[in-house]
Structures are given as C-alpha cells and as structure tokens.
Amino acid sequence: MSALVGARVVRGPSWNWGEQDGGEGHLGTITAVVVPVTDHTDGDSPLSPTAVKVTWDSGKKGNYRTGFGGEFDLRLYSSAPAGVIQRGVRCVGCDASDIAGSYWICTMCPRCKLCTDCYMQDTHAATHEFCRKDEPYDTGVLVGTREDTRTVKARGLLPGAKVKRGSDWNYEDEDGGKKQWGNVKDVCDWSDSSRASGVIVQWSNGLTKKYRAGHDGKVDVKAMGR
C-alpha cells in the first residue's frame, strides 16, 4: 500500500481494531507517515514507513501498521488526493486521460487499462486477472480476478453524507456555527494536482462551499452519517 499523505484508505487484511474506523467500508485520510527511528551511521538509507496516522471520516484518529511485523491494517482506496497522476495513461472504460490515482491493467488484455471507478464498476471481464499500479513506474501488485469476490460499499465523505465541521476546520462560522450541519453534494478536485481531495457541502444556512477531504492530509469536515 502506498503510504502517502492525503491518500484515502479503508480497513485492510490485518485490521483488528473493532469499529474504530466507523465500520467496514468507511474511509479515512493518511495525515502523516511514521518512519522508525534507527541508527543510520552505517550509511544505510532510512527504512520505509511502517505506520501511518489516519483521520477517519467520522473524525476519529489512530495510528495503523503498513508493514510493521508484516501486518497491514489498511487498504488503499485512492492515491489521487495525494497528488498521484498517471501521465499518459488513458482509461479504456471512460476515456479519461492522465488517470488520477491508481490504475488497473488486465494481465490477459494488456491494452486494457482502467481507472479505479471503471474497474470497480466491472467495466471489463470479472474473470480476468488484474495488476494494480498505485504510482508512476510502480511495478504493480497482482490482485487476481473479481469473480466470487465480496463487494463492500464505501462510506464516509461521499455524496449524501451529513456532515459538520471537523478537526482541521479553519473557516470561522460560515457553516452557521459549531452545532450546525450540512450535506455533501459531491466529491471534487481541490486543485489540478490534487484530485478527488475535496467535497462540496451545502450547509443548513444555504451556503455551499468546497472543503478539504484529503488534500495535504487535511480533513475540514466529518461525517455524521447519511
């Protein structure tokens, strides 16, 4: 899994933390990476990050393993908010170019490259094996076929979610006050280099504005449910 600040994640294969994430399928944001403190006087390069700090869309926070002891508490949902853009890669499903975040290559049909949305919507044969590439020049990870796999619905800061201000809020009382709520209307790009890293919220006072949901590891609002 790519340990990148801003990346969006869900619970992974080694998850053993109850409902700390809000429940299966709930999203969170990597806010910092943790590199073990070691003695590098022998000239070795620093070790890879083995843990990350995550703010869940519910507002809860925690530290999670991304390789420590061979354990992986998280799965990557999207690296697009972290600024990953696959230049020159076009999705055969929706025809989008310069795919943001991970993309998927069919090992049986090498010309078939899909963005995450098209892959998750079974645009290509579910019986074909795929390789997922999370970053440019990534060697990729074989993920097998999608047949007989269980689908888990993503939840959190997504269209329809009810929200209120979160821990990174820095916008005074434009939401109408601390106890006021709003509804997520859509997920949006925060900038050209930080895709799908914001949400458009309409507050109960009628104001509609854009807020960070992954950009630079910041989460301005938290989900209260749907």
Side-chain angles (χ1 to χ4, degrees), residues 70-185:
E71 302 292 342
F72 293 86
D73 293 327
L74 308 169
R75 291 185 192 275
L76 180 67
Y77 177 79
S78 176
S79 56
V84 174
I85 299 177
Q86 313 280 6
R87 301 291 183 188
V89 181
R90 180 179 297 275
C91 174
V92 301
C94 63
D95 204 37
S97 59
D98 295 341
I99 292 175
S102 303
Y103 73 98
W104 312 72
I105 301 176
C106 177
T107 60
M108 298 175 67
C109 312
R111 292 185 179 181
C112 177
K113 298 177 182 178
L114 298 174
C115 67
T116 295
D117 285 345
C118 287
Y119 173 80
M120 295 298 178
Q121 292 170 14
D122 292 340
T123 300
H124 196 64
T127 56
H128 287 194
E129 182 182 61
F130 272 78
C131 176
R132 188 190 77 229
K133 295 201 172 188
D134 296 329
E135 300 180 65
Y137 312 112
D138 189 352
T139 56
V141 177
L142 289 176
V143 295
T145 67
R146 285 160 295 153
E147 62 176 341
D148 301 324
T149 57
R150 184 170 64 93
T151 299
V152 177
K153 184 177 181 181
R155 300 180 183 278
L157 296 176
L158 297 168
K162 188 176 180 180
V163 300
K164 60 181 179 180
R165 62 173 67 175
S167 59
D168 291 319
W169 181 266
N170 190 30
Y171 305 94
E172 297 185 345
D173 288 335
E174 66 183 31
D175 57 347
K178 289 183 178 180
K179 296 183 179 180
Q180 300 305 306
W181 56 271
N183 286 306
V184 174
K185 309 304 291 184

Side-chain angles (χ1 to χ4, degrees), residues 37-48:
V37 177
T38 56
D39 183 1
H40 298 301
T41 56
D42 58 358
D44 289 343
S45 60
L47 295 175
S48 298

